[in-house]
Amino acid sequence: QVQLVESGGGLVQAGGSLRLSCAASGSIFSINAMGWYRQAPGKQRELVADITSGGSTNYADSAKGRFTISRDNAKNTVYLQMNSLKPEDTAVYYCNGLVRDFISGRVRNYWGQGTQVTVSS
């Protein structure tokens, strides 16, 4: 069993910054890609950014130049630094990880429970 736990969400004014963290724990042999997704009310969940175990990154157009994804492989943790936040960034942010189980060797996709980010105008 693997758990992903996010932290760092909250309420911030437009133009402000937040840093999200997501720590994975449990029966982990390795974690391939890790990423951040978000879902605003009435909208589909969308990719914000992801990062491979080697550090290659990919960003949604809306995140480029404002958000930075990083990870600490030793801590099985992924971060999302969000700067110049806009009201349209308001959403629940979910952490995602593609994890190889230590015991079974199987690869599964895991999600965190989500953390609310609210940007006021």
Side-chain angles (χ1 to χ4, degrees):
Q1 190 74 5
V2 174
Q3 297 82 36
L4 273 62
V5 179
E6 301 105 331
S7 61
L11 173 64
V12 64
Q13 288 188 333
S17 298
L18 283 174
R19 188 190 194 214
L20 306 182
S21 300
C22 171
S25 62
S27 180
I28 298 170
F29 178 79
S30 63
I31 305 178
N32 298 333
M34 299 188 78
W36 289 97
Y37 290 71
R38 68 186 183 187
Q39 188 167 19
K43 295 187 177 181
Q44 289 189 332
R45 190 173 299 188
E46 62 179 5
L47 173 71
V48 177
D50 58 24
I51 183 169
T52 67
S53 58
S56 296
T57 58
N58 174 52
Y59 293 92
D61 287 343
S62 59
K64 288 178 181 176
R66 300 188 300 128
F67 295 179
T68 302
I69 190 170
S70 61
R71 64 188 282 177
D72 184 332
N73 291 331
K75 296 181 179 180
N76 290 329
T77 299
V78 64
Y79 306 96
L80 185 69
Q81 177 67 43
M82 303 186 294
N83 299 327
S84 302
L85 282 161
K86 305 174 182 179
E88 51 263 44
D89 294 317
T90 295
V92 178
Y93 284 69
Y94 295 91
C95 174
N96 173 268
L98 194 61
V99 180
R100 182 176 296 279
D101 188 275
F102 185 83
I103 296 175
S104 70
R106 296 165 71 177
V107 177
R108 285 186 57 186
N109 201 29
Y110 289 91
W111 293 92
Q113 81 286 353
T115 186
Q116 177 70 45
V117 171
T118 302
V119 184
S120 63
S121 57

